[in-house]
């Protein structure tokens, strides 16, 4: 009987210990959940691969667009996704103009693909290290809108990652991450910002001669204006040129007085470590831009291409919203106050 009682007591202790460990794990997960989002892949060709989506801009509401894209990639295509945000470490809130903190960048160590919409960040070295390691490994990158000028270091910041600055002068890194990795840095607004939109000029050639990223992409109009792009290298292949529209609705005519500009292109980069990575860049991508189903399709197709999975791209790539999506119009200082990461679950 005593042996039985001892066994029961031991079992209870183990059960109690197990419960405590589960509770600790739950608390740890909850703490992490305040800093970033994680979506497990359901079914699809992306099963077993991880995509990290980095938001961090103070104008184009990437904190709204990136979770929506992550849900599409996970639910419809099977990718495990993680979404990172600009977080005020004291309030533990998403503050898009908090430029020096994006928790979760350590996930890049195991990421297969990064999708980013970032603007003028000045991250500490312990966070930038993960971005630089990713680049040095030659992994693929999708850069949207302001990612051409993702980093902005102050004059007195002597970080070893200063080469990422959008107007850097370091040998081999002139004009920084935007120019050297994505193909272009910030130049100017070509369209009248917040007055004129962008009409994608998609060639009407046969589908067999189109790039796989364009498969099934027929019509894109977005509210964000055309950027000036005049410094692409010879290795860049422009997939879509953009025309300026005279207004902020899809039915407004094209302003033919303004030249066409590249709005989506592909290229490769070679890191200092000698590794080569694939790149898709688009100057479109604001949260309201992503109401265009064909823009969402363009980005999802680009994800497959970046991962050498173009054979999975179909004419009817599924990009339906997962849950509601009601994006905020772009603009400085108009983000939703008091946002918590959990709000996007």
């Amino acid at each position: 009987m005593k042996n039985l009682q001892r066994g029961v007591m031991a079992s209870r202790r183990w059960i109690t210990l197990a419960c405590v460990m589960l509770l600790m794990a739950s608390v740890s997960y909850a703490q992490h959940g305040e800093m970033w989002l994680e979506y497990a892949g359901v079914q699809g060709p992306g099963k077993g691969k991880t995509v990290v989506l980095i938001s961090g801009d103070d104008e184009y509401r990437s904190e709204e667009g990136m979770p929506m894209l992550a849900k599409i990639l996970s639910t419809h295509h099977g990718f495990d996704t993680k979404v990172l945000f600009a977080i005020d470490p004291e309030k533990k809130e998403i503050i898009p103009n908090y430029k020096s903190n994006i928790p979760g960048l350590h996930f890049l160590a195991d990421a297969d693909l990064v999708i980013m919409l970032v603007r003028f960040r000045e991250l500490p070295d312990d966070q930038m290290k993960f971005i630089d390691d990713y680049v040095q490994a030659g992994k693929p990158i999708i850069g949207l809108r302001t990612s051409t000028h993702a980093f902005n270091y102050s004059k007195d910041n002597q970080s070893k990652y200063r080469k990422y600055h959008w107007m850097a002068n370091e040998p081999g890194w002139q004009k920084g991450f935007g120019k050297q990795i994505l193909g272009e840095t910030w130049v100017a607004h070509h369209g009248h910002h917040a007055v004129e939109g962008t009409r994608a000029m998609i060639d009407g050639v046969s589908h067999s001669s189109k790039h796989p990223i364009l498969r099934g992409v027929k019509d894109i109009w977005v509210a964000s204006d055309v950027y000036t792009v005049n410094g692409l290298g010879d290795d860049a292949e422009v997939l879509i040129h953009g025309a300026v529209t005279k207004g902020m609705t899809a039915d407004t005519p094209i302003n033919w007085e303004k030249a066409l500009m590249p709005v989506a292109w592909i290229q490769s980069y070679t890191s200092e470590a000698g590794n080569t990575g694939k790149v898709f860049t688009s100057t479109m991508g604001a949260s309201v831009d992503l109401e265009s189903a064909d823009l969402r399709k363009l980005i999802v197709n680009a994800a497959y291409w970046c991962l050498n999975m173009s054979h999975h791209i179909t004419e009817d790539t599924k990009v339906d919203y997962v849950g509601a999506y009601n994006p905020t119009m772009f603009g400085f200082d108009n983000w939703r106050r008091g946002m918590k990461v959990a709000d996007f679950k």
Side-chain angles (χ1 to χ4, degrees), residues 265-308:
W265 62 88
I266 56 172
Q267 64 173 50
S268 62
Y269 71 92
T270 300
S271 71
E272 294 153 305
N275 297 310
T276 300
K278 300 174 77 172
V279 172
F280 170 84
T281 305
S282 176
T283 56
M284 302 178 286
S287 64
V288 291
D289 294 354
L290 293 169
E291 290 183 297
S292 166
D294 275 12
L295 178 57
R296 300 196 300 274
K297 186 178 294 186
L298 184 77
I299 294 168
V300 173
N301 288 353
Y304 279 117
W305 175 80
C306 282
L307 292 166
N308 299 318

Side-chain angles (χ1 to χ4, degrees), residues 40-62:
V42 182
Q43 291 295 329
K47 195 70 175 175
K49 293 187 180 296
T50 298
V51 181
V52 175
L53 299 93
I54 308 174
S55 71
D57 84 286
D58 41 7
E59 183 175 11
Y60 292 102
R61 305 282 68 85
S62 59

Side-chain angles (χ1 to χ4, degrees), residues 74-188:
S74 292
T75 303
H76 300 323
H77 301 278
F79 295 98
D80 292 330
T81 59
K82 304 178 192 299
V83 187
L84 314 184
F85 301 89
I87 301 286
D88 182 322
E90 293 185 3
K91 295 181 179 180
K92 291 185 170 58
E93 293 180 356
I94 300 171
I95 306 292
N97 68 353
Y98 196 97
K99 298 180 184 295
S100 59
N101 186 44
I102 300 180
L105 286 167
H106 63 277
F107 288 122
L108 297 189
D110 297 316
D112 297 290
L113 172 66
V114 160
I115 302 175
M116 60 190 296
L117 200 168
V118 176
R119 179 183 184 274
F120 285 161
R121 302 292 106 169
E122 188 173 17
L123 299 175
D125 283 2
D126 61 346
Q127 294 187 8
M128 278 301 298
K129 176 185 184 301
F130 295 109
I131 293 175
D132 189 60
D133 286 349
Y134 186 92
V135 169
Q136 295 305 323
K139 292 185 177 182
I141 299 171
I142 293 177
L144 303 177
R145 194 62 178 168
T146 57
S147 294
T148 59
H149 43 295
F151 305 103
N152 184 31
Y153 283 84
S154 56
K155 290 183 179 179
D156 59 349
N157 190 331
Q158 298 304 311
S159 168
K160 63 181 178 179
Y161 302 116
R162 186 179 174 82
K163 63 187 181 182
Y164 281 79
H165 180 69
W166 68 284
M167 283 297 287
N169 288 316
E170 279 79 352
W173 277 86
Q174 286 80 6
K175 298 184 180 179
F177 173 80
K179 176 65 176 175
Q180 297 301 322
I181 306 300
L182 299 186
E184 182 61 288
T185 187
W186 166 248
V187 181

